Amino acid sequence: MISQAIEDYLKTIYKLQHGGTENERVTTSVIADRMGVAAASATNMIKKLAEMHLLVHTPYQGVGLTGAGRKIALETIRHHRLIELYLAQALGYPWDQIDAEADRLEHAISEEFEDRIDKALGYPTIGAHGEPIPTKQGKIEDLDYPRLSDLETGQPAIIRRVSDRNPEMLRYMDQMGLQLGTRVEVREKAPFSGPLQLKIDADKEEALGLEVAYNIFVDLAP
Amino acid sequence: MISQAIEDYLKTIYKLQHGGTENERVTTSVIADRMGVAAASATNMIKKLAEMHLLVHTPYQGVGLTGAGRKIALETIRHHRLIELYLAQALGYPWDQIDAEADRLEHAISEEFEDRIDKALGYPTIGAHGEPIPTKQGKIEDLDYPRLSDLETGQPAIIRRVSDRNPEMLRYMDQMGLQLGTRVEVREKAPFSGPLQLKIDADKEEALGLEVAYNIFVDLAP
DNA sequence: GATTTAATTTAGCCATGGCTAAAATAATGT
DNA sequence: ACATTATTTTAGCCATGGCTAAATTAAATC
């Protein structure tokens, strides 16, 4: 049986490999930090996962998932994202609460449950925060959107994805009227990493902290 | 934190205290048997639960839940039955599959989730197999129906509750057209624990094994 | 009441997955 | 090239919750 802990590590490693900037090493300390455990605990688990051939570990260099490891990671992520979407759409959860709930449920559901919510949702391919949902076969699109914080002034764009790491930030976005599909345009960028002046949906204009803009991914719009 | 194992033991003990015939001792071996663990494992856990004041253990006599223990047991059972009903009603699960799925989910859901499915189901008081659902405050009705196997010949009755212990039996009941609400009448009882001849819903008559009838609970009907 | 049988408990082991403190190794700065 | 610093690993510990085998204690039978 694959334990909850193993699924969590593989999921975390997968997301570190892909989410982060290209060519960032996924090292013991980065994994430990993201998992919220001591470095020694991560070392132990990495050793175990390597023995199980779920990842390859180059000492002091970092880890890389094997096909088998990636498969488990993607299954876990699929569960997570389907559950998140189900919580949001079927049960009316706000998007800042779905991640925590899905983190616990993702390890508890059966294939049957996965299939049933997948069907109930109409076989979705995009999750509640705009992330691609891996297929049952372990395929995943890589949607690679620019960050709102990197936009040229005057460039209109549509919000396509947000980071779900910070629930407080998600609540803040809600309050600002920033959702998936919202049309935005940067009006002015302040120097020294200051806030940017953002036009929202053709009728509103607000100052938005750069950290928030950094966590919003957009499609360029005409 | 209350572990999954503790919740499982308390739930099992609660059900043994109530489900079984009056005045049956809930002993170490009965608990071990029902939990599917060795007797020594049950002894360990009973010791621990007694130290936590979740139950009282009289050596060689059995255990009894304390108020605190019963509270946790009923919370767990509430989760279980709400989830079962949700799986059946919202996701179309057949009633023989909901117990296993709920056994895993019941430990993973939050209060928020509990509240949302409770609301989505319209604040139900009866579960998918006819069991009472404990309230959030830890109250539970004790519905005490006679067994179909104990019915007098000719006495019409309505199925109100079934045991969920055996999925195969539930599938068999489905096949026979025996559901909650189904009207039945015993036509003939065979001697030596043989099958009983059962009239089902005014149009069908079938032989039903005594073991099945023993696991069906009914309301007497006029 | 003594003995057999059955239930329970104790003792000691195992795996999992955390932890801290110390040692080893690599990366960095001078 | 060497010293300092940072990262990683090892060593050894802890709690949880299983297990088997042996010892104990209660219950049942003669």
PDB file of all heavy atoms in Angstrom, chain A residues 117-134:
ATOM      1  N   ILE A 117     -17.223  11.728  -9.140  1.00  0.00           N
ATOM      2  CA  ILE A 117     -17.201  13.201  -9.117  1.00  0.00           C
ATOM      3  C   ILE A 117     -16.711  13.739 -10.463  1.00  0.00           C
ATOM      4  O   ILE A 117     -17.161  14.781 -10.918  1.00  0.00           O
ATOM      5  CB  ILE A 117     -16.393  13.797  -7.938  1.00  0.00           C
ATOM      6  CG1 ILE A 117     -14.930  13.405  -7.980  1.00  0.00           C
ATOM      7  CG2 ILE A 117     -17.016  13.396  -6.608  1.00  0.00           C
ATOM      8  CD1 ILE A 117     -14.113  14.117  -6.898  1.00  0.00           C
ATOM      9  N   ASP A 118     -15.820  12.996 -11.105  1.00  0.00           N
ATOM     10  CA  ASP A 118     -15.361  13.402 -12.436  1.00  0.00           C
ATOM     11  C   ASP A 118     -16.561  13.532 -13.372  1.00  0.00           C
ATOM     12  O   ASP A 118     -16.739  14.539 -14.071  1.00  0.00           O
ATOM     13  CB  ASP A 118     -14.388  12.342 -12.961  1.00  0.00           C
ATOM     14  CG  ASP A 118     -13.681  12.766 -14.243  1.00  0.00           C
ATOM     15  OD1 ASP A 118     -13.493  13.980 -14.459  1.00  0.00           O
ATOM     16  OD2 ASP A 118     -13.296  11.868 -15.029  1.00  0.00           O
ATOM     17  N   LYS A 119     -17.418  12.513 -13.335  1.00  0.00           N
ATOM     18  CA  LYS A 119     -18.625  12.514 -14.155  1.00  0.00           C
ATOM     19  C   LYS A 119     -19.579  13.641 -13.749  1.00  0.00           C
ATOM     20  O   LYS A 119     -20.092  14.379 -14.595  1.00  0.00           O
ATOM     21  CB  LYS A 119     -19.322  11.161 -14.013  1.00  0.00           C
ATOM     22  CG  LYS A 119     -20.508  10.977 -14.933  1.00  0.00           C
ATOM     23  CD  LYS A 119     -21.110   9.587 -14.753  1.00  0.00           C
ATOM     24  CE  LYS A 119     -22.386   9.444 -15.581  1.00  0.00           C
ATOM     25  NZ  LYS A 119     -23.082   8.166 -15.277  1.00  0.00           N
ATOM     26  N   ALA A 120     -19.788  13.775 -12.428  1.00  0.00           N
ATOM     27  CA  ALA A 120     -20.701  14.816 -11.937  1.00  0.00           C
ATOM     28  C   ALA A 120     -20.247  16.204 -12.371  1.00  0.00           C
ATOM     29  O   ALA A 120     -21.067  17.103 -12.589  1.00  0.00           O
ATOM     30  CB  ALA A 120     -20.820  14.742 -10.416  1.00  0.00           C
ATOM     31  N   LEU A 121     -18.936  16.369 -12.525  1.00  0.00           N
ATOM     32  CA  LEU A 121     -18.396  17.675 -12.911  1.00  0.00           C
ATOM     33  C   LEU A 121     -18.332  17.840 -14.427  1.00  0.00           C
ATOM     34  O   LEU A 121     -17.948  18.910 -14.920  1.00  0.00           O
ATOM     35  CB  LEU A 121     -16.994  17.858 -12.312  1.00  0.00           C
ATOM     36  CG  LEU A 121     -16.929  18.006 -10.783  1.00  0.00           C
ATOM     37  CD1 LEU A 121     -15.488  17.860 -10.296  1.00  0.00           C
ATOM     38  CD2 LEU A 121     -17.493  19.356 -10.356  1.00  0.00           C
ATOM     39  N   GLY A 122     -18.668  16.787 -15.148  1.00  0.00           N
ATOM     40  CA  GLY A 122     -18.614  16.856 -16.617  1.00  0.00           C
ATOM     41  C   GLY A 122     -17.211  16.693 -17.169  1.00  0.00           C
ATOM     42  O   GLY A 122     -16.855  17.317 -18.161  1.00  0.00           O
ATOM     43  N   TYR A 123     -16.413  15.859 -16.525  1.00  0.00           N
ATOM     44  CA  TYR A 123     -15.054  15.552 -16.991  1.00  0.00           C
ATOM     45  C   TYR A 123     -14.229  16.814 -17.228  1.00  0.00           C
ATOM     46  O   TYR A 123     -13.789  17.090 -18.352  1.00  0.00           O
ATOM     47  CB  TYR A 123     -15.121  14.676 -18.240  1.00  0.00           C
ATOM     48  CG  TYR A 123     -16.000  13.468 -18.034  1.00  0.00           C
ATOM     49  CD1 TYR A 123     -17.273  13.399 -18.602  1.00  0.00           C
ATOM     50  CD2 TYR A 123     -15.573  12.411 -17.229  1.00  0.00           C
ATOM     51  CE1 TYR A 123     -18.095  12.301 -18.380  1.00  0.00           C
ATOM     52  CE2 TYR A 123     -16.392  11.311 -17.010  1.00  0.00           C
ATOM     53  CZ  TYR A 123     -17.648  11.262 -17.587  1.00  0.00           C
ATOM     54  OH  TYR A 123     -18.464  10.180 -17.352  1.00  0.00           O
ATOM     55  N   PRO A 124     -14.009  17.567 -16.189  1.00  0.00           N
ATOM     56  CA  PRO A 124     -13.304  18.847 -16.331  1.00  0.00           C
ATOM     57  C   PRO A 124     -11.814  18.648 -16.594  1.00  0.00           C
ATOM     58  O   PRO A 124     -11.249  17.605 -16.218  1.00  0.00           O
ATOM     59  CB  PRO A 124     -13.503  19.505 -14.968  1.00  0.00           C
ATOM     60  CG  PRO A 124     -13.586  18.340 -14.022  1.00  0.00           C
ATOM     61  CD  PRO A 124     -14.306  17.262 -14.778  1.00  0.00           C
ATOM     62  N   THR A 125     -11.196  19.624 -17.230  1.00  0.00           N
ATOM     63  CA  THR A 125      -9.746  19.553 -17.474  1.00  0.00           C
ATOM     64  C   THR A 125      -8.998  20.660 -16.743  1.00  0.00           C
ATOM     65  O   THR A 125      -7.773  20.643 -16.689  1.00  0.00           O
ATOM     66  CB  THR A 125      -9.443  19.656 -18.981  1.00  0.00           C
ATOM     67  OG1 THR A 125      -9.943  20.909 -19.460  1.00  0.00           O
ATOM     68  CG2 THR A 125     -10.118  18.543 -19.752  1.00  0.00           C
ATOM     69  N   ILE A 126      -9.751  21.603 -16.188  1.00  0.00           N
ATOM     70  CA  ILE A 126      -9.139  22.725 -15.470  1.00  0.00           C
ATOM     71  C   ILE A 126      -9.723  22.799 -14.067  1.00  0.00           C
ATOM     72  O   ILE A 126     -10.933  22.718 -13.891  1.00  0.00           O
ATOM     73  CB  ILE A 126      -9.440  24.053 -16.198  1.00  0.00           C
ATOM     74  CG1 ILE A 126      -8.973  24.006 -17.662  1.00  0.00           C
ATOM     75  CG2 ILE A 126      -8.819  25.233 -15.461  1.00  0.00           C
ATOM     76  CD1 ILE A 126      -7.481  23.967 -17.821  1.00  0.00           C
ATOM     77  N   GLY A 127      -8.852  22.949 -13.074  1.00  0.00           N
ATOM     78  CA  GLY A 127      -9.272  22.972 -11.682  1.00  0.00           C
ATOM     79  C   GLY A 127      -9.773  24.320 -11.209  1.00  0.00           C
ATOM     80  O   GLY A 127      -9.835  25.283 -11.985  1.00  0.00           O
ATOM     81  N   ALA A 128     -10.114  24.387  -9.933  1.00  0.00           N
ATOM     82  CA  ALA A 128     -10.764  25.566  -9.373  1.00  0.00           C
ATOM     83  C   ALA A 128      -9.852  26.781  -9.301  1.00  0.00           C
ATOM     84  O   ALA A 128     -10.323  27.911  -9.196  1.00  0.00           O
ATOM     85  CB  ALA A 128     -11.307  25.250  -7.985  1.00  0.00           C
ATOM     86  N   HIS A 129      -8.554  26.574  -9.339  1.00  0.00           N
ATOM     87  CA  HIS A 129      -7.637  27.714  -9.364  1.00  0.00           C
ATOM     88  C   HIS A 129      -6.992  27.862 -10.736  1.00  0.00           C
ATOM     89  O   HIS A 129      -6.009  28.582 -10.885  1.00  0.00           O
ATOM     90  CB  HIS A 129      -6.545  27.561  -8.302  1.00  0.00           C
ATOM     91  CG  HIS A 129      -7.066  27.342  -6.915  1.00  0.00           C
ATOM     92  ND1 HIS A 129      -7.029  26.123  -6.292  1.00  0.00           N
ATOM     93  CD2 HIS A 129      -7.662  28.186  -6.040  1.00  0.00           C
ATOM     94  CE1 HIS A 129      -7.585  26.235  -5.081  1.00  0.00           C
ATOM     95  NE2 HIS A 129      -7.979  27.463  -4.911  1.00  0.00           N
ATOM     96  N   GLY A 130      -7.542  27.157 -11.712  1.00  0.00           N
ATOM     97  CA  GLY A 130      -7.021  27.260 -13.078  1.00  0.00           C
ATOM     98  C   GLY A 130      -5.940  26.248 -13.430  1.00  0.00           C
ATOM     99  O   GLY A 130      -5.386  26.296 -14.528  1.00  0.00           O
ATOM    100  N   GLU A 131      -5.632  25.344 -12.510  1.00  0.00           N
ATOM    101  CA  GLU A 131      -4.581  24.358 -12.791  1.00  0.00           C
ATOM    102  C   GLU A 131      -5.117  23.275 -13.713  1.00  0.00           C
ATOM    103  O   GLU A 131      -6.280  22.907 -13.629  1.00  0.00           O
ATOM    104  CB  GLU A 131      -4.100  23.663 -11.510  1.00  0.00           C
ATOM    105  CG  GLU A 131      -4.038  24.498 -10.276  1.00  0.00           C
ATOM    106  CD  GLU A 131      -5.335  24.442  -9.480  1.00  0.00           C
ATOM    107  OE1 GLU A 131      -6.435  24.417 -10.086  1.00  0.00           O
ATOM    108  OE2 GLU A 131      -5.232  24.439  -8.247  1.00  0.00           O
ATOM    109  N   PRO A 132      -4.270  22.712 -14.567  1.00  0.00           N
ATOM    110  CA  PRO A 132      -4.724  21.579 -15.373  1.00  0.00           C
ATOM    111  C   PRO A 132      -4.942  20.366 -14.473  1.00  0.00           C
ATOM    112  O   PRO A 132      -4.207  20.160 -13.508  1.00  0.00           O
ATOM    113  CB  PRO A 132      -3.559  21.335 -16.326  1.00  0.00           C
ATOM    114  CG  PRO A 132      -2.371  21.918 -15.661  1.00  0.00           C
ATOM    115  CD  PRO A 132      -2.866  23.065 -14.831  1.00  0.00           C
ATOM    116  N   ILE A 133      -5.961  19.584 -14.780  1.00  0.00           N
ATOM    117  CA  ILE A 133      -6.224  18.353 -14.025  1.00  0.00           C
ATOM    118  C   ILE A 133      -5.622  17.193 -14.815  1.00  0.00           C
ATOM    119  O   ILE A 133      -5.968  16.992 -15.976  1.00  0.00           O
ATOM    120  CB  ILE A 133      -7.738  18.136 -13.855  1.00  0.00           C
ATOM    121  CG1 ILE A 133      -8.342  19.286 -13.049  1.00  0.00           C
ATOM    122  CG2 ILE A 133      -8.024  16.797 -13.183  1.00  0.00           C
ATOM    123  CD1 ILE A 133      -9.861  19.265 -12.967  1.00  0.00           C
ATOM    124  N   PRO A 134      -4.710  16.446 -14.212  1.00  0.00           N
ATOM    125  CA  PRO A 134      -4.129  15.300 -14.928  1.00  0.00           C
ATOM    126  C   PRO A 134      -5.236  14.319 -15.308  1.00  0.00           C
ATOM    127  O   PRO A 134      -6.235  14.203 -14.614  1.00  0.00           O
ATOM    128  CB  PRO A 134      -3.208  14.666 -13.886  1.00  0.00           C
ATOM    129  CG  PRO A 134      -2.969  15.708 -12.854  1.00  0.00           C
ATOM    130  CD  PRO A 134      -4.181  16.579 -12.848  1.00  0.00           C
TER     131      PRO A 134
END
